[in-house]
Amino acid sequence: MVDSVSSAASAATNSSSASTSGNSKTMISSDFETFLRMLTTQLENQDPLNPMESSDYALQIATFSGVEQQVQTNELLKALSANLGGGGLSQYGSWVGMEGQAAVPANYDGVTPVTVFPEIDKDASTATLVVRDDTGAIVQSEPIPPDTKTILWSGGEDHEAGLYDFIVESYAEDGSKLSEAQARIYAQIAEVRTDEGQISIVFDSGTIVKASEVSALRDPV
């Protein structure tokens, strides 16, 4: 009798440990009441000549308490994670429709000039702006002063509407290449998404970057 009741109590404890749903608090309360009833039944039906050790009771209660605390901790962590993720989307959601500055291709409309922010190596003696179309072909290459902060690229009659990358090549005094980096431009933000807790920004070109890679925001011009 004692063994069967003890086994039933253990099964009830295992059942509580497996519960991770939104109703876990209700289930824990229900399971604890069941546990107390089983414990009472166990006391009433134990062999008076061979009573159960008090340490065994304490162990059963401690085991159930440990399971209860673990389930509550898991629920708290889930709620915290959901709040952080939801808060992030709410915060960055206002970016949709705005223009963000990042190292992404420019969606040139064939009319509006593109403001380019070149990334030039601090040790460069000379630099070159290389413009590539969406096929990777070079459509323009021109030298720029190493202290250039912004470039207004108008495209010209030869460049149709489409996606263009602006690459800055930095050269040392001896002509050796120091670095090559994609310049930043302002592009419209089309979407904000979260993936495994990471906030990502999707531009109108389809390019996806981390939110931390967006260095500035502005209203559409």
Side-chain angles (χ1 to χ4, degrees):
M1 174 74 71
V2 173
D3 290 342
S4 62
V5 174
S6 178
S7 298
S10 176
T13 301
N14 291 337
S15 174
S16 174
S17 176
S19 173
T20 56
S21 67
N23 296 323
S24 59
K25 291 184 179 180
T26 302
M27 295 182 67
I28 288 174
S29 177
S30 176
D31 286 348
F32 188 65
E33 292 178 2
T34 301
F35 171 77
L36 290 178
R37 287 198 297 270
M38 287 183 173
L39 190 60
T40 301
T41 303
Q42 192 172 9
L43 289 170
E44 292 174 346
N45 292 277
Q46 67 178 333
D47 185 352
L49 300 179
N50 185 26
M52 188 175 182
E53 294 291 338
S54 59
S55 59
D56 293 335
Y57 290 118
L59 178 60
Q60 290 187 33
I61 294 174
T63 300
F64 188 91
S65 177
V67 171
E68 178 185 18
Q69 291 179 10
Q70 184 61 53
V71 171
Q72 290 178 340
T73 298
N74 290 343
E75 290 299 316
L76 179 61
L77 290 175
K78 284 183 178 180
L80 180 61
S81 177
N83 288 337
L84 288 175
L89 282 179
S90 298
Q91 175 186 352
Y92 291 104
S94 61
W95 290 17
V96 176
M98 299 186 70
E99 292 183 342
Q101 186 185 126
V104 297
N107 195 2
Y108 179 57
D109 60 9
V111 177
T112 308
V114 177
T115 302
V116 181
F117 302 86
E119 300 283 343
I120 303 175
D121 193 289
K122 62 182 181 61
D123 297 322
S125 293
T126 60
T128 301
L129 177 66
V130 179
V131 184
R132 298 178 181 271
D133 62 18
D134 57 359
T135 68
I138 297 176
V139 298
Q140 187 176 342
S141 178
E142 61 180 30
I144 57 176
D147 59 350
T148 301
K149 301 301 182 183
T150 60
I151 300 170
L152 195 62
W153 187 78
S154 59
E157 297 180 357
D158 296 335
H159 304 319
E160 299 178 350
L163 297 180
Y164 292 90
D165 281 300
F166 298 92
I167 310 298
V168 176
E169 299 175 345
S170 299
Y171 295 91
E173 188 174 359
D174 61 2
S176 60
K177 182 185 289 187
L178 295 173
S179 64
E180 180 178 305
Q182 184 167 8
R184 294 176 174 271
I185 57 97
Y186 273 105
Q188 189 171 44
I189 296 173
E191 181 184 352
V192 176
R193 63 176 64 165
T194 179
D195 183 18
E196 297 182 355
Q198 178 70 53
I199 301 297
S200 297
I201 306 300
V202 184
F203 288 91
D204 59 354
S205 62
T207 305
I208 302 174
V209 303
K210 296 178 182 178
S212 59
E213 296 178 25
V214 178
S215 59
L217 289 173
R218 73 181 186 186
D219 289 326
V221 295

